[in-house]
Amino acid sequence: MLHLVQALLVAVFPALVIAAALRDVTSYTIPNWMPLALLAGFVPAALAMGLAPAAIGLHLGVGLVGLVAGMAMFALGWIGGGDAKLFAAATLWLGWPAAAVFAGVTGFAGGALAVTLLALRSGFVRPFVVTGPAWFSRLAEPGENVPYGLAIAIGALAAFPGSPFMSAFAGF
């Protein structure tokens, strides 16, 4: 029964990250409750997985660095506020060294997303896209924002297997 509880608590992270990415792609918003739920779910998951107090402290420190980085990217206009909060919450969960993988994969995924959106918004491709669902047509709208929550989710999911949460499952 304990393993089921642990698995459910750890599953909060990928479920919320995926939900945030889908919400960002379809509406260009990430509601505040999503990063807040990640924040609230971290401590119970960490305790259930038996993370040592020092490891929890390291996660908190990495999360603080993620918050500062997210705020800086937001201030520079690179990402939206919801993206910055999601970035910080993801770094909290991932800890070190998975946060380094997260940052790298997120950067690459963000670049690929930007190139894809540029192609989608080109005069050649866009006429074929506007007949699709409204949210997809909006992605193809020139000058529209970039739903960077998708890149953050890709980076988070790529880095999650290297996090202490997943490493703790190896001992079961």
Side-chain angles (χ1 to χ4, degrees):
M1 180 66 168
L2 178 62
H3 296 302
L4 177 62
V5 171
Q6 290 170 322
L8 289 173
L9 285 170
V10 171
V12 163
F13 179 74
L16 283 172
V17 166
I18 290 168
L22 291 173
R23 181 68 186 265
D24 199 21
V25 166
T26 58
S27 70
Y28 288 95
T29 59
I30 299 173
N32 286 334
W33 70 264
M34 289 180 168
L36 285 173
L38 283 168
L39 182 65
F42 170 75
V43 172
L47 294 175
M49 294 308 292
L51 265 62
I56 293 172
L58 181 59
H59 277 263
L60 292 172
V62 171
L64 183 60
V65 170
L67 178 62
V68 170
M71 289 170 49
M73 289 185 287
F74 173 72
L76 292 168
W78 295 351
I79 62 175
D83 301 324
K85 291 176 260 187
L86 181 62
F87 187 86
T91 56
L92 170 69
W93 272 79
L94 294 169
W96 186 257
V101 173
F102 165 62
V105 173
T106 298
F108 282 117
L113 176 62
V115 169
T116 301
L117 289 177
L118 284 172
L120 192 64
R121 295 170 180 175
S122 73
F124 180 73
V125 177
R126 189 169 187 285
F128 299 104
V129 175
V130 294
T131 59
W135 67 267
F136 193 67
S137 296
R138 187 172 176 198
L139 286 174
E141 188 68 36
E144 190 62 71
N145 291 327
V146 175
Y148 207 76
L150 178 60
I152 293 169
I154 291 169
L157 294 173
F160 194 52
S163 74
F165 286 99
M166 296 307 290
S167 299
F169 273 116
F172 296 123

